[in-house]
Amino acid sequence: QLQTVESGGGSVQAGGSLRLSCAVSGWPYSRYCIDWFRQAPGKEREGVASIASDGRTNYLDSVKGRFTFSPDSAENTPYLQMNSLKSEDTAMYYCRAVVGSVGAGGYCNGRIMADWGQGTQVTVSS
């Protein structure tokens, strides 16, 4: 079973930026789809953004225009660049890796090959 390792979280002030990485060691497949979810205390986990190797992406409405994926030279999956952070972005962020693509529902469709890791905490102070 492959494992994801999330990193890049931290504490920033509102308006600041962070870059999250989702590392999956030994990914043997030519295709991938990465889901980023987040969970704030007392709230349900929600999908934030997804990206597939075929170029398809999807973003939660509240992060559109602020979050975007960019190539990560250090990892085999793009990193999630988060700009103009708001206090409501405060949460634990998790990723998972799927062999598939972004489906009509906005999340990755396919076989989950690397499930959620330990997460990385993002704290935004106003």
Side-chain angles (χ1 to χ4, degrees):
Q1 179 72 25
L2 299 175
Q3 185 64 56
T4 58
V5 177
E6 303 92 340
S7 64
S11 296
V12 298
Q13 291 189 332
S17 298
L18 287 171
R19 187 176 77 177
L20 303 186
S21 291
C22 179
V24 185
S25 297
W27 184 259
Y29 310 102
S30 59
R31 296 185 301 145
Y32 66 80
C33 189
I34 302 295
D35 278 324
W36 278 99
F37 276 61
R38 67 187 179 188
Q39 188 166 21
K43 295 187 178 181
E44 293 188 355
R45 189 172 291 192
E46 65 175 352
V48 176
S50 301
I51 185 168
S53 53
D54 60 9
R56 295 183 182 182
T57 59
N58 185 71
Y59 298 93
L60 182 68
D61 283 346
S62 63
V63 308
K64 286 180 180 177
R66 300 189 297 120
F67 292 11
T68 186
F69 286 104
S70 294
D72 189 340
S73 59
E75 302 294 343
N76 53 2
T77 57
Y79 63 80
L80 181 64
Q81 179 68 42
M82 306 189 300
N83 299 326
S84 302
L85 284 162
K86 303 176 180 180
S87 57
E88 51 263 44
D89 296 318
T90 295
M92 185 71 80
Y93 284 69
Y94 303 88
C95 69
R96 66 181 179 188
V98 173
V99 177
S101 186
V102 179
Y107 305 131
C108 294
N109 274 344
R111 185 176 178 184
I112 299 173
M113 301 307 296
D115 217 329
W116 313 112
Q118 295 299 310
T120 186
Q121 177 67 40
V122 171
T123 302
V124 184
S125 57
S126 56

